[in-house]
Amino acid sequence: EMKEIPQDKLLALLERNFSNGPSFFSYRAGSRRFYYLTPIQNTGVTPKMLRDKMEDFFKDIQDTEALWSVKKWTKPAEGAVTAK
């Protein structure tokens, strides 16, 4: 279990938030986990619209794995942020 978040990884997640909208990364200290969230309209949604949104969401998750998967991170370097 990683106790510190490398600064470059945290900054990369925040930078991705800028270009990924309306989806975004979030961190919850209570569970010590990163989350990837996306708002979805809850009126007038067709099965096709929902499927398309889900496919986009899952593709984003796959495309950003190196950013959020702590197993793919190297050990924290100087400048790491302590995870609470």
Side-chain angles (χ1 to χ4, degrees), residues 59-73:
K59 183 175 181 334
D60 283 349
I61 290 171
Q62 289 176 329
D63 290 349
T64 60
E65 183 178 11
L67 299 176
W68 55 261
S69 177
V70 297
K71 292 178 181 176
K72 297 194 179 266
W73 293 355

Side-chain angles (χ1 to χ4, degrees), residues 12-68:
L13 281 170
L14 291 173
E15 178 67 25
R16 189 63 182 237
N17 278 345
F18 187 73
S19 63
N20 257 23
S23 299
F24 60 95
F25 287 99
S26 181
Y27 177 77
R28 184 169 184 194
S31 64
R32 297 177 46 92
R33 292 180 183 260
F34 286 105
Y35 293 88
Y36 190 61
L37 307 168
T38 192
I40 297 177
Q41 179 178 318
N42 67 353
T43 58
V45 179
T46 66
K48 181 178 181 345
M49 289 168 59
L50 182 58
R51 178 180 301 275
D52 290 347
K53 286 279 189 188
M54 290 175 63
E55 286 175 359
D56 289 344
F57 183 77
F58 294 134
K59 183 175 181 334
D60 283 349
I61 290 171
Q62 289 176 329
D63 290 349
T64 60
E65 183 178 11
L67 299 176
W68 55 261

